[in-house]
């Protein structure tokens, strides 16, 4: 694992965007695995900025997102498809038909199977961007998930529902289930880039890097991947 310490969120976002840019420059028709949430917002902003300056070209890029809330349609403001359109896709020259996000309205079995086939049909993820949950989840792979899982439907933990309620009017509105790419699929990505910001991520980052490899800390499986970069700002890297 390569650990990169960033000064703050801006520095972290810039460093992460640099790595993604390098990937796109080295292989314009690359496949990016993408995440939503607070962690990557700054990274996407930076990528948009470089695109607008003419330094980046997304025209051949394919993207596969990690997860989606079960039951939310793509036009719902809290759906991850909506997030991706707003924070990245609508602002760069990507071909939207090559941007994939699990369908929140799909049948749990058929929809997940189809999504896994889509990922395989892309030829594999070149660079997977990940945020990390305060409980060590990656994607929506909550603690105790099977390490070998592919795309599946999960019950969100109280902890995650609580962490995500800030985006909804009330806790009751937070969906209780989600579709997520599994750990097995994530581990197949050629390179993995984890970004973590803020003190509340310090334990999760420490456990992911130095803790026991256990399904109780899903991110700990990343210790077994041979090309992982973790960028953490000072607060998130506090315990390293
Ligand atoms: C989102 C995702 C989640 C988040 C994690 C951290 O697509 O996969 O694992 O990365 O919950 O969320 P933030 O960045 O909002 O702290």
């Amino acid at each position: 694992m390569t650990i990169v310490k960033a000064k703050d969120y801006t520095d972290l976002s810039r460093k992460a965007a640099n790595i993604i840019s390098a990937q796109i420059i080295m292989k314009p028709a690359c496949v990016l695995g993408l995440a939503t949430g607070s962690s990557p917002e700054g990274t996407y902003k930076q990528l948009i900025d470089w695109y607008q300056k003419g330094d980046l070209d997304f025209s051949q890029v394919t993207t596969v997102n990690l997860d989606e809330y079960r039951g939310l349609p793509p036009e719902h403001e809290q759906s991850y498809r909506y997030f991706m359109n707003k924070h990245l896709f609508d602002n760069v020259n990507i071909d939207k038909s090559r941007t994939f996000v699990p369908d929140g309205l799909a049948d749990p079995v058929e929809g997940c199977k189809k999504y896994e086939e889509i990922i395989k049909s892309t030829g594999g993820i070149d660079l997977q961007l990940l945020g990390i949950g305060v409980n060590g989840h990656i994607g929506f792979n909550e603690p105790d998930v099977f390490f070998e899982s592919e795309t599946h439907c999960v019950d969100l933990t109280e902890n995650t529902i609580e962490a995500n309620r800030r985006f909804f009017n009330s806790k009751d509105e937070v969906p209780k289930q989600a579709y997520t790419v599994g750990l097995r699929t994530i581990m197949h990505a050629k390179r993995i880039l984890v970004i973590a910001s803020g003190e509340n991520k310090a334990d999760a980052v420490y456990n992911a890097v130095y803790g026991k490899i256990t399904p109780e800390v899903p991110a700990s499986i990343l210790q077994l991947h041979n090309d992982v970069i973790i960028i953490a700002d000072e607060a998130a890297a506090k315990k390293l």
Side-chain angles (χ1 to χ4, degrees):
M1 275 191 187
T2 305
I3 297 164
V4 178
K5 291 187 184 169
K7 220 168 48 221
D8 51 24
Y9 182 72
T10 310
D11 186 32
L12 171 153
S13 302
R14 213 177 153 80
K15 286 180 160 61
N18 257 308
I19 292 170
I20 297 171
S21 299
Q23 173 66 67
I24 299 173
I25 291 164
M26 299 285 283
K27 185 178 174 189
C30 63
V31 181
L32 301 177
L34 297 179
T36 57
S38 308
S39 308
E41 267 187 50
T43 304
Y44 295 151
K45 214 165 148 229
Q46 182 64 77
L47 289 173
I48 293 167
D49 186 44
W50 286 335
Y51 161 72
Q52 285 169 346
K53 288 187 172 132
D55 291 338
L56 266 181
D57 176 14
F58 287 82
S59 63
Q60 297 180 62
V61 173
T62 296
T63 64
V64 226
N65 260 78
L66 280 169
D67 39 20
E68 180 60 283
Y69 287 118
R70 182 176 180 198
L72 294 196
E75 60 278 3
H76 190 290
E77 284 191 14
Q78 294 309 330
S79 79
Y80 287 173
R81 161 56 76 180
Y82 187 94
F83 176 101
M84 287 311 300
N85 287 347
K86 179 173 167 200
H87 292 283
L88 185 64
F89 303 151
D90 284 344
N91 306 293
V92 295
N93 65 334
I94 199 159
D95 175 352
K96 279 252 188 88
S97 68
R98 275 208 298 267
T99 65
F100 300 99
V101 180
D103 177 359
L105 300 181
D107 170 77
V109 177
E110 280 311 304
C112 292
K113 202 170 141 225
K114 195 170 146 210
Y115 199 67
E116 201 59 39
E117 281 160 12
I118 289 172
I119 297 174
K120 290 200 176 100
S121 75
T122 65
I125 296 169
D126 293 296
L127 176 63
Q128 174 68 58
L129 177 66
L130 296 176
I132 183 168
V134 287
N135 60 4
H137 74 212
I138 48 178
F140 269 137
N141 294 286
E142 299 283 27
D144 280 335
V145 72
F146 292 112
F147 269 164
E148 62 273 23
S149 63
E150 294 193 329
T151 304
H152 60 295
C153 179
V154 287
D155 293 330
L156 299 179
T157 59
E158 263 306 300
N159 189 310
T160 299
I161 292 171
E162 191 59 43
N164 288 0
R165 67 177 288 184
R166 68 192 192 277
F167 300 114
F168 293 82
N169 295 325
S170 72
K171 193 173 162 186
D172 287 347
E173 280 183 28
V174 186
K176 307 290 176 283
Q177 288 188 313
Y179 296 138
T180 184
V181 165
L183 293 176
R184 183 193 174 99
T185 317
I186 291 173
M187 288 296 280
H188 277 140
K190 294 184 190 102
R191 168 174 269 188
I192 297 177
L193 171 61
V194 185
I195 49 176
S197 169
E199 204 174 335
N200 64 339
K201 299 290 175 71
D203 282 328
V205 169
Y206 178 86
N207 290 332
V209 178
Y210 294 117
K212 188 172 154 219
I213 300 171
T214 163
E216 280 162 39
V217 181
S220 65
I221 198 179
L222 299 175
Q223 293 175 37
L224 299 176
H225 193 285
N226 64 7
D227 193 355
V228 177
I229 305 164
I230 299 189
I231 309 180
D233 65 10
E234 267 177 20
K238 210 173 111 182
K239 302 202 169 164
L240 295 182

